[in-house]
Amino acid sequence: MGFGTAKVQANLHLKIVNRNAKKMLNILVSQKSLGKVKFAIGGVFDTKELMPLVKDANEKALVRMDEKIIRKQK
């Protein structure tokens, strides 16, 4: 009936190009938060619950980005 839960997803895109606009590195990472937030069709019940989920998703995405960069260096 319009109620549910949702996770927060962080998307990080790292693109490095040289002076000639040649692509040197291109990495896209998406990670979801561990926790969930309750929502209804009209919006989120408690917006204070969103920031910890945003922080969690961003931290997970940054860790994943580091892993991918290290793998590309090898």
Side-chain angles (χ1 to χ4, degrees):
M1 186 91 182
F3 297 99
T5 58
K7 291 186 174 196
V8 173
Q9 179 172 320
N11 300 312
L12 299 178
H13 186 200
L14 175 66
K15 185 175 185 180
I16 299 174
V17 295
N18 67 9
R19 292 180 185 193
N20 299 324
K22 180 182 176 189
K23 184 171 50 172
M24 305 285 291
L25 182 67
N26 188 27
I27 300 174
L28 178 62
V29 175
S30 297
Q31 292 290 315
K32 292 182 181 175
S33 63
L34 288 175
K36 296 179 182 177
V37 64
K38 294 179 183 177
F39 75 95
I41 289 179
V44 174
F45 286 141
D46 188 3
T47 55
K48 293 177 186 173
E49 296 177 11
L50 281 176
M51 283 313 292
L53 298 179
V54 170
K55 184 178 178 184
D56 179 50
N58 277 318
E59 287 173 354
K60 287 174 60 178
L62 287 171
V63 168
R64 183 77 177 120
M65 178 73 73
D66 288 343
E67 292 169 357
K68 283 192 166 193
I69 291 171
I70 290 169
R71 256 191 269 140
K72 294 245 183 203
Q73 288 178 347
K74 293 181 179 181

